[in-house]
Amino acid sequence: MSHARPTRLLLTLGLLVAGPGIAPPAAASEPMEEPEKDVFALIRVTDALWRYSAGTYHGVLLVTDEGVVVTDPLSAEAATWLRKEIRRRFRQPIRYVLYSHSHPDHAYGGQALDGPGVVFVAHALAERAWVRTRAQVRMPDLTFADRLTVHLGGHDVELRYHGPDNGRGSVSMRFVQEDVLHVVDWIVVGRLPYRTLPGYDLHGTMDATEQALALPFSVFVGGHAGIGDRDGVRRYMRYLQALHDQVLNGILAGHDLPTIQREVDLSEFADLGMYDAWRDENIAGAWRLLMDGDYLDMRPEVPQER
Ligand SMILES: [Zn+2]
């Protein structure tokens, strides 16, 4: 077991402790070009809530007097490590495992967290995707369609479905007493969205992010990138809006993708992590998503019966 980059993690926590109104911790210097999973870490976010990490992947741990709530297993190796850490540090049984969405790179490995009385929870559309693809996921014991609240040891975790955004059955997780919101993949703070926006529904992601911003929370813990606050999520929303609007303007002006990549001005977001590396890929992703559906479907000359 090892702890990733302790200096940076302490800095992240230090910024958090400084309270609301501060800039979200920037991820600009983080080497997160490609997903990696072999470095495990556990950091405290609030009294009862911890973030665990396998490289650039993160989940959340809620420790109560009546047991522990875990979110995504992340991988068999990460979940095996996490189970040992929970036993060693907290001496509490795992009671719930809450899946954030269908993607296997977050959902695999739950078998290592399983045991008597452990309840696995997922949105029904995530379960359906796993059944159809015969994914080797520890299947949920409990599914829901719209909203579900888990109560444990005087704490509440609210799971909400916001429609299609990224993956199947993606939900937000609101840890009520902790004032923390946890979202995986469809919101990132301090960093650009991933590369060419694989798996994204762009309009759906914008809608879901607006809905998330309507929820009460002061701390945001992402499944990737940094820990942030409400302002960090607002800024992510503004980035999506600017990306969407400018790419759409280019399409409507009849410009091709390389021209749009030259013309788009996202420089007010240049301090975000991976800006230089992923700016053009984000534009290409937004262009593809708009051309594949959200833009094309709205053109009168396109037959809708396809
Ligand atoms: Zn992910």
Side-chain angles (χ1 to χ4, degrees):
M1 153 212 352
S2 60
H3 295 269
R5 300 176 278 269
T7 311
R8 178 166 55 77
L9 293 173
L10 284 174
L11 180 68
T12 303
L13 277 180
L15 284 168
L16 252 179
V17 168
I22 51 154
S29 60
E30 292 188 30
M32 46 170 56
E33 288 84 356
E34 295 295 337
E36 38 104 337
K37 276 197 162 165
D38 55 346
V39 181
F40 305 133
L42 186 62
I43 63 167
R44 196 170 202 163
V45 179
T46 71
D47 271 358
L49 190 132
W50 300 66
R51 184 184 80 170
Y52 56 90
S53 306
T56 56
Y57 288 76
H58 310 300
V60 161
L61 203 65
L62 178 72
V63 183
T64 82
D65 294 340
E66 294 175 13
V68 175
V69 178
V70 179
T71 66
D72 297 312
L74 305 182
S75 71
E77 295 74 20
T80 302
W81 169 82
L82 183 62
R83 187 188 187 89
K84 282 189 199 136
E85 282 294 293
I86 290 170
R87 191 177 298 145
R88 188 174 69 81
R89 287 178 187 246
F90 308 117
R91 300 178 192 284
Q92 288 282 350
I94 297 169
R95 295 285 307 280
Y96 289 96
V97 177
L98 312 178
Y99 288 115
S100 66
H101 68 302
S102 62
H103 285 161
D105 59 337
H106 296 264
Y108 272 34
Q111 290 85 349
L113 302 171
D114 206 354
V118 183
V119 178
F120 283 67
V121 180
H123 190 273
L125 291 176
E127 182 190 47
R128 191 183 299 184
W130 294 327
V131 169
R132 283 181 170 160
T133 57
R134 300 173 202 166
Q136 300 297 304
V137 169
R138 165 54 167 89
M139 287 292 174
D141 307 297
L142 183 62
T143 63
F144 65 101
D146 181 38
R147 188 171 162 178
L148 182 89
T149 302
V150 171
H151 308 277
L152 186 67
H155 296 255
D156 304 306
V157 189
E158 297 176 350
L159 309 181
R160 283 182 181 81
Y161 182 62
H162 304 280
D165 37 46
N166 190 336
R168 303 283 185 192
S170 301
V171 299
S172 67
M173 302 185 186
R174 180 174 172 243
F175 293 81
V176 176
Q177 287 75 13
E178 282 60 46
D179 205 17
V180 169
L181 186 72
H182 177 54
V183 165
V184 178
D185 283 3
W186 51 276
I187 297 178
V188 284
V189 296
R191 197 203 78 188
L192 259 53
Y194 191 65
R195 306 200 70 156
T196 56
L197 314 180
Y200 275 80
D201 177 320
L202 187 52
H203 284 174
T205 298
M206 293 163 76
D207 291 343
T209 303
E210 274 178 2
Q211 291 171 27
L213 277 167
L215 300 173
F217 71 93
S218 57
V219 176
F220 177 84
V221 180
H224 295 285
I227 294 173
D229 58 13
R230 177 172 284 278
D231 283 343
V233 179
R234 283 200 194 101
R235 191 147 187 249
Y236 169 75
M237 183 70 217
R238 285 201 300 278
Y239 176 82
L240 287 181
Q241 193 78 56
L243 176 69
H244 171 276
D245 291 355
Q246 293 193 46
V247 172
L248 181 60
N249 286 344
I251 292 171
L252 292 172
H255 298 164
D256 63 7
L257 176 58
T259 307
I260 294 171
Q261 283 169 322
R262 273 198 310 278
E263 288 174 348
V264 162
D265 181 7
L266 296 168
S267 57
E268 68 169 292
F269 303 100
D271 59 303
L272 291 177
M274 305 313 293
Y275 178 83
D276 292 335
W278 292 353
R279 173 197 176 276
D280 281 358
E281 287 188 84
N282 274 196
I283 294 168
W287 179 84
R288 170 181 51 81
L289 293 169
L290 286 165
M291 293 301 284
D292 279 356
D294 289 335
Y295 163 71
L296 207 57
D297 285 350
M298 293 300 120
R299 306 306 295 166
E301 66 272 21
V302 176
Q304 294 302 307
E305 210 173 289
R306 289 185 280 151

